[in-house]
Amino acid sequence: MGILKNVENYPFGAEGPVAGLWQYESAENYTVYNLVLGILWTLVSVLSLISIINKNLKYSISLIIFVFIVYVFGRILENL
């Protein structure tokens, strides 16, 4: 959305199942929401690979905790 700058056909703030959710009120909110969660889930993926490669239980437990934190953070952002 931010790259193409072509948002005139997307109904930001319109009625429907996403009406009232802050991430759909504007293109900027939508971009920030997806960028933040995208970075966090990418970090989760990288940590998963490290955990698999190292076969270390410490990384696995930390990863499970981090996945839970990212999931809860995403749910909180959705409901702002």
Side-chain angles (χ1 to χ4, degrees):
M1 309 248 8
I3 294 172
L4 296 177
K5 307 245 186 251
N6 184 9
V7 297
E8 63 271 355
N9 294 327
Y10 192 85
F12 287 109
E15 295 186 24
V18 297
L21 296 176
W22 75 271
Q23 63 266 37
Y24 297 104
E25 289 177 0
S26 69
E28 291 81 18
N29 290 358
Y30 185 81
T31 303
V32 168
Y33 172 78
N34 286 302
L35 183 64
V36 168
L37 287 181
I39 289 170
L40 289 174
W41 284 116
T42 300
L43 186 58
V44 165
S45 299
V46 169
L47 291 175
S48 296
L49 287 174
I50 291 171
S51 177
I52 291 169
I53 291 169
N54 289 335
K55 298 179 185 174
N56 190 335
L57 184 60
K58 181 178 79 172
Y59 288 118
S60 298
I61 293 171
S62 299
L63 178 64
I64 290 169
I65 293 169
F66 187 63
V67 165
F68 179 74
I69 291 169
V70 170
Y71 175 76
V72 169
F73 181 70
R75 298 300 293 178
I76 289 170
L77 282 180
E78 283 180 9
N79 295 316
L80 281 179

